[in-house]
Amino acid sequence: MAAPLGLAAYRLVTMALAPAVPFFLRQRALRGKEDTTRIRERLGYASVNRPSGTLIWIHGASVGESTAALPLVDAFLKSGHNVLVTSGTVTSAKMMAERLPGRAIHQYAPVDTPAAAARFLAHWRPDAALFVESELWPNLLHRAAGQGVKLALVNGRMSERSFRGWARARRVATALLSLFDVCLAQDAQTAERLRQLGAPRVEVSGSLKADAPPLPADETKLTALRSAIGARPVLLAAQTHPGEDETVLPAHDALRAHHPDLLTIIVPRHIERGAGIAMLCGSRAVRQRSRDELPDADTAVYVADTLGELGLFYRLAPFCFVGGTLVPIGGHNPLEAARLDCAVLFGPHTESFPQAYDALLTAHSGIRVSSAHDIAHAAQRLLADPAGTKTMGEAAAKAAAALGGAVAKTLRTVEALLDARA
């Protein structure tokens, strides 16, 4: 069957632009968006040798997808396979360097030109390729399928907005999804959307993020923070976006009327926003973690604008507000907080993790809020009842544990694909 016109045009355009790709990569490197020491990986040139034996290639676009894949990486390694993980951002590469098991290999994903895809696949020769969530690169997918690589979309997630966008290019969507031997969706709604777009084999596996281990924390740093905070009550707002900090700060002011020593900790989703949040605090006494500052007795707001330290702050608070939920982002993963015995406050936008948020509500370990007044009211109730809040946090951890199973399902499915290939 001939490729849809859109995919044929995409291939021609990427071929035509290929000579300019090194220039664009160097420009991105000047802005800190590429690793200057590993740019050749982005062109498909491997920096290490392929190990002998079966190789599972797992691709996640950025930090979130790569983190979700970590328990899957561990499971494949324990099954005796070699694992290659690719991602496309500098921050994800740094995170992988810290958290990837020693036997696994990380490389930057090649840009999606025909030549880079060919070089990458000729070197690595993966037996199976797993694309996490919704990262679909036509040249890579077509080349891999043509080489007989077993393809799986894992931890699949598709919002209503993304579905509408793909539906407008249904022939392209069907052509790409038909390349996958199996699509494993996080939930029934995503599964149905994938079927409507033409995926031939779709199963519901649940979310890999439900199987993730608790976020790590440096014990020395945790001790230092606990010492600096002491017995002060804490309002934690994690993974916030613009528009949410402006809601959390008035809630902080309202709570201070009852708790004059309250410390509010804001962990922005994007750490480069730290200075802006500090300015937003106005006359409130503020300190920034990116400046190697700890909160002191006078600090009202502590901006935790550093990378990879969220596990520290979930261990410091019995409850938290999870961001991306008051603004139409879809919400960030509440299970990261729940696993560490944190009760969760969240806004109305929870489309990215509907099952997780629903589970927390069902377990009476989550509270939906929509305004500064709601946050202050819920936080005041939780601060006034430490024993009840502790019980809510424990219920959150149990609810998170009950959602597990996606890693085992994915492992079984991929093993069956490998057996069929053999």
Side-chain angles (χ1 to χ4, degrees), residues 2-340:
L5 182 60
L7 287 180
Y10 175 87
R11 180 175 176 82
L12 289 173
V13 168
T14 53
M15 288 177 65
L17 291 177
V21 167
F23 170 78
F24 287 118
L25 290 174
R26 288 193 294 270
Q27 293 301 306
R28 281 175 53 82
L30 292 175
R31 302 195 302 273
K33 299 294 186 180
E34 297 287 346
D35 185 338
T36 55
T37 65
R38 297 174 64 183
I39 280 183
R40 283 177 58 81
E41 291 177 25
R42 299 286 274 147
L43 299 173
Y45 295 101
S47 58
V48 296
N49 293 329
R50 184 200 189 278
S52 59
T54 305
L55 179 68
I56 310 295
W57 167 31
I58 302 175
H59 174 69
S62 189
V63 172
E65 296 85 355
S66 300
T67 303
L70 283 172
L72 197 55
V73 172
D74 191 56
F76 280 119
L77 289 174
K78 289 178 178 176
S79 296
H81 301 299
N82 299 298
V83 178
L84 167 69
V85 179
T86 59
S87 61
T89 66
V90 173
T91 51
S92 64
K94 290 179 179 177
M95 189 273 291
M96 287 287 102
E98 295 173 356
R99 299 185 60 186
L100 203 61
R103 283 181 48 224
I105 301 167
H106 177 267
Q107 296 277 278
Y108 279 102
V111 294
D112 197 40
T113 63
R119 279 191 291 267
F120 176 87
L121 289 166
H123 176 85
W124 291 108
R125 306 185 314 279
D127 295 276
L130 283 54
F131 289 74
V132 181
E133 293 196 6
S134 58
E135 186 81 352
L136 306 181
W137 292 109
N139 289 323
L140 268 175
L141 286 172
H142 273 281
R143 189 82 183 193
Q147 291 184 196
V149 179
K150 290 297 183 180
L151 296 176
L153 179 68
V154 302
N155 212 43
R157 184 179 70 181
M158 182 173 290
S159 67
E160 175 63 27
R161 180 178 178 183
S162 294
F163 174 69
R164 290 197 302 267
W166 279 110
R168 288 192 288 269
R170 189 177 297 271
R171 288 192 65 210
V172 171
T174 300
L176 289 176
L177 291 173
S178 296
L179 295 172
F180 287 100
D181 295 276
V182 65
C183 294
L184 299 181
Q186 293 186 24
D187 53 72
Q189 192 172 57
T190 291
E192 181 56 30
R193 288 167 179 164
L194 289 170
R195 291 188 188 101
Q196 289 185 35
L197 291 174
R201 178 186 170 192
V202 183
E203 300 174 14
V204 177
S205 63
S207 173
L208 292 176
K209 293 182 178 180
D211 285 330
L215 292 175
D218 184 291
E219 285 298 327
T220 301
K221 294 178 180 179
L222 183 59
T223 299
L225 278 166
R226 282 177 171 156
S227 177
I229 295 171
R232 296 176 64 181
V234 172
L235 171 63
L236 172 62
Q239 311 245 56
T240 63
H241 288 260
E244 295 181 317
D245 312 299
E246 293 87 342
T247 304
V248 170
L249 289 173
H252 161 88
D253 295 338
L255 285 165
R256 275 237 165 180
H258 303 280
H259 304 277
D261 59 342
L262 177 77
L263 174 66
T264 291
I265 301 174
I266 298 178
V267 186
R269 173 68 173 180
H270 301 109
I271 61 174
E272 61 270 17
R273 295 181 52 243
I277 296 172
M279 290 183 63
L280 190 66
C281 290
S283 61
R284 304 174 187 90
V286 61
R287 287 199 163 191
Q288 285 179 248
R289 188 159 182 81
S290 63
R291 299 173 64 178
D292 292 326
E293 297 173 339
L294 287 172
D296 61 16
D298 296 324
T299 305
V301 179
Y302 188 51
V303 181
D305 51 346
T306 50
L307 187 67
E309 292 195 313
L310 192 53
L312 285 174
F313 300 100
Y314 284 145
R315 286 172 169 82
L316 292 171
F319 67 93
C320 67
F321 165 76
V322 173
T325 59
L326 283 177
V327 292
I329 299 296
H332 296 297
N333 184 5
L335 302 181
E336 293 176 335
R339 278 190 205 93
L340 293 169

Side-chain angles (χ1 to χ4, degrees), residues 175 216 412:
R412 289 194 301 270

